[in-house]
Amino acid sequence: MITTRSAMAAAILATLSACAAPAYVSPVEVTRFVGQADTYLAQGTIEIAPAPGINGDGLEYGFYAEAVRIELEELGYRVVAQNGDQVAALDFDQNVGAPAERGGPVSVGVGGSTGSFGSGLGVGIGLNLTPRPSEQINTVISVAIKAADGGTNLWEGRAAMSATANSDFAPSDAAAGRLADALFADFPGNSGETVIVE
């Protein structure tokens, strides 16, 4: 026999499940610029270094550096810890946007008595069961490649995406892999062109 309390709990859990915010991941927006000496790209040795203002010892940096390393090696570079022929300066940023508000409260009642947010009648309960929408995480990665002895950039690119906090791509390691893969797709790309990568 199902008790009234058990029935109420089941109704609450069912309502919470129905109101769960769906996960969302945007396509990746990629913009790249190719320098005049593009024949030097995707060959020789290259080191990955933090761009000015980026902590190269942090855990987050490690995720992005590893993702970039994988892509650079697939292009034909030999990634080295130091003294590379070229340097890939890595920059990244992640910020959290405020969730948008949704509709009003959910009412749950038992035995024909209905409750509403802030009040209830009989055995009805008044709970706002609508979860706040998931926060939106905006992530950007930028890489600039130049010769180790300086000069103008041989190549630079930027990739950006948004994902809700309940998405598979909200964690930094997953976001880093997806962004780096999109950033270096069809390398070096057309200079000045912005493309959308699903």
Side-chain angles (χ1 to χ4, degrees), residues 2 23 32 48 53 75 80 84 99 113 132 142 151 176 197:
I2 299 176
R32 294 172 283 207
I48 301 169
L75 292 175
V80 295
S113 179
R132 286 177 61 81
S142 300
V197 180

Side-chain angles (χ1 to χ4, degrees), residues 55-114:
N55 177 11
D57 296 322
L59 180 63
E60 297 289 304
Y61 175 80
F63 292 139
Y64 292 95
E66 176 62 11
V68 169
R69 180 195 65 77
I70 291 170
E71 297 301 322
L72 291 175
E73 289 185 343
E74 288 183 357
L75 292 175
Y77 280 110
R78 184 164 62 88
V79 179
V80 295
Q82 57 187 2
N83 300 323
D85 300 325
Q86 296 174 27
V87 177
L90 170 60
D91 193 358
F92 63 91
D93 182 54
Q94 194 170 64
N95 63 74
V96 179
E101 293 293 339
R102 287 192 183 167
V106 173
S107 298
V108 176
V110 176
S113 179
T114 307

Side-chain angles (χ1 to χ4, degrees), residues 24-32 158-162 177-187 193-198:
Y24 168 76
V25 180
S26 75
V28 180
E29 183 180 280
V30 178
T31 303
R32 294 172 283 207
R158 175 185 183 276
M161 68 172 227
S162 298
R178 184 170 189 249
L179 287 168
D181 180 69
L183 182 61
F184 291 102
D186 300 320
F187 184 84
E193 181 179 62
T194 297
V195 297
I196 301 298
V197 180
E198 294 293 340

